Amino acid sequence: MPSITPDEQRVASVKNVEDAKREDDKREDDKRAKTDMVGKALSLLVMLGDAPGATTAADLSRRADLPFSTAYRLLQSLQRAGFVDFEPEGKKYSLGLRVFQLGLYVANSLGFAGTATPVLSRLTEKTQEASILAVPDEDRFLTVAKVDGPRAFRVTSDPGYRGYLHCSAVGKALLAFAPEEERERLVEGIELVPVAPKAITDRAEFRAELDRVRSQGYSLMDEENEIGMRAVAVPILAESRPGEPARAIAAIACSAPTVRMSVDELVDQLPALREAAEELAARLPRH
């Protein structure tokens, strides 16, 4: 067997190192690809949650800027895992019970469900209208608890609902009492969607509205988010760092149909709302 020269050994050693590096790079690329697919699947779940009803794979692929085949494969995987439901008749997808289950786990682990529901129930007994608790969720608010009033006409902001900040009572309260830097970023960056005819769509007007909310300590929604509905909300405040104003960790609202409560009658509910907010401020976890 011919002997290998030192130069040949060095070349073979370099080649082995390069082969090993290529293998490592390939494994890293595979990991990144899998991580990227997970991110794409999660983005589809978020879009399904934001959609007002069930939607098609074609619509989701268009909104997510994904090839139809990719969106379809991801939806099939999510459906098999129970995160997505499929309606064969309309060929539409919606969030599955597994997402709802995980949401309950999160609410319970954060202490929202057990802590908030008794307080909201007492508030609803006083106002005879729906009580809602919401927390900040990036550029939206997230409803974490709700107690309906005893009379007909349900409020549609169920737990898990993500709503716009600019046209809702809880959204305005959360944003008005957010830390200044975060408030400025959102005021300048969020889209002022004309959800209803009375929704604020002018940024200067929106800024003035938030100044008014900070000054008076409460916010109003008068058919800005839904025709025929009004709401009043107050922030649930927590102390920030020394020397900084308190920030809103949540907001609590009373919501009622316009046929049952005028704006003045909603404002009359503020003492009960503030009492509930103070109780929740002492009980809710800080996150």
Side-chain angles (χ1 to χ4, degrees):
M1 183 174 179
S3 60
I4 300 175
T5 66
D7 286 343
E8 289 173 329
Q9 287 179 337
R10 282 193 294 273
V11 169
S13 176
V14 169
K15 185 177 184 302
N16 289 337
V17 170
E18 290 176 345
D19 288 344
K21 186 175 184 304
R22 276 193 292 271
E23 285 298 316
D24 287 342
D25 289 344
K26 185 176 182 302
R27 281 193 290 269
E28 285 301 315
D29 288 342
D30 289 343
K31 287 180 183 178
R32 279 193 290 269
K34 289 177 181 177
T35 302
D36 189 44
M37 292 306 286
V38 170
K40 289 174 180 175
L42 291 174
S43 71
L44 290 178
L45 285 178
V46 172
M47 288 180 184
L48 281 171
D50 288 341
T55 190
T56 64
D59 181 54
L60 286 169
S61 70
R62 186 166 52 252
R63 290 164 54 198
D65 197 22
L66 291 173
F68 176 83
S69 58
T70 301
Y72 181 77
R73 284 198 306 272
L74 291 173
L75 288 167
Q76 292 297 300
S77 296
L78 291 168
Q79 183 186 352
R80 285 193 295 272
F83 290 100
V84 164
D85 285 338
F86 179 64
E87 301 172 8
E89 298 81 7
K91 296 184 179 180
K92 292 185 176 182
Y93 294 86
S94 58
L95 292 180
L97 285 176
R98 182 68 176 144
V99 175
F100 176 71
Q101 183 184 34
L102 291 177
L104 289 179
Y105 289 158
V106 172
N108 286 328
S109 68
L110 294 178
F112 286 120
T115 301
T117 302
V119 179
L120 295 183
S121 295
R122 289 194 291 274
L123 178 60
T124 291
E125 286 178 9
K126 294 176 181 177
T127 65
Q128 294 294 292
E129 298 294 352
S131 300
I132 300 166
L133 178 70
V135 296
D137 185 16
E138 298 179 351
D139 61 347
R140 302 281 189 96
F141 72 82
L142 175 69
T143 301
V144 293
K146 183 189 79 167
V147 173
D148 279 313
R151 295 180 281 185
F153 208 108
R154 286 183 70 254
V155 174
T156 55
S157 181
D158 290 317
Y161 172 77
R162 294 180 76 240
Y164 293 109
L165 297 173
H166 70 289
C167 57
S168 60
V170 289
K172 292 178 191 177
L174 289 170
L175 190 50
F177 289 90
E180 183 176 2
E181 183 176 335
E182 179 182 353
R183 183 171 67 251
E184 286 302 312
R185 176 179 63 82
L186 288 169
V187 168
E188 288 300 322
I190 62 174
E191 183 181 1
L192 303 180
V193 181
V195 178
K198 287 188 176 182
I200 296 174
T201 56
D202 178 79
R203 215 162 291 277
E205 183 183 350
F206 184 42
R207 189 181 293 278
E209 174 75 354
L210 293 178
D211 289 343
R212 185 160 48 250
V213 171
R214 283 186 65 81
S215 174
Q216 63 193 16
Y218 67 89
S219 59
L220 289 167
M221 184 283 294
D222 189 9
E223 298 189 280
E224 298 157 58
N225 187 57
E226 185 177 351
I227 295 173
M229 293 298 296
R230 291 191 177 105
V232 60
V234 297
I236 297 169
L237 300 174
E239 293 299 322
S240 300
R241 290 186 290 271
E244 295 184 359
R247 61 184 175 88
I249 58 170
I252 188 170
C254 170
S255 182
T258 55
V259 295
R260 282 210 299 259
M261 274 200 180
S262 65
V263 170
D264 288 342
E265 288 170 328
L266 269 178
V267 171
D268 288 342
Q269 311 308 313
L270 280 172
L273 269 171
R274 286 176 171 144
E275 182 181 348
E278 288 177 7
E279 183 176 355
L280 287 170
R283 292 171 176 260
L284 286 179
R286 273 39 169 181
H287 290 280

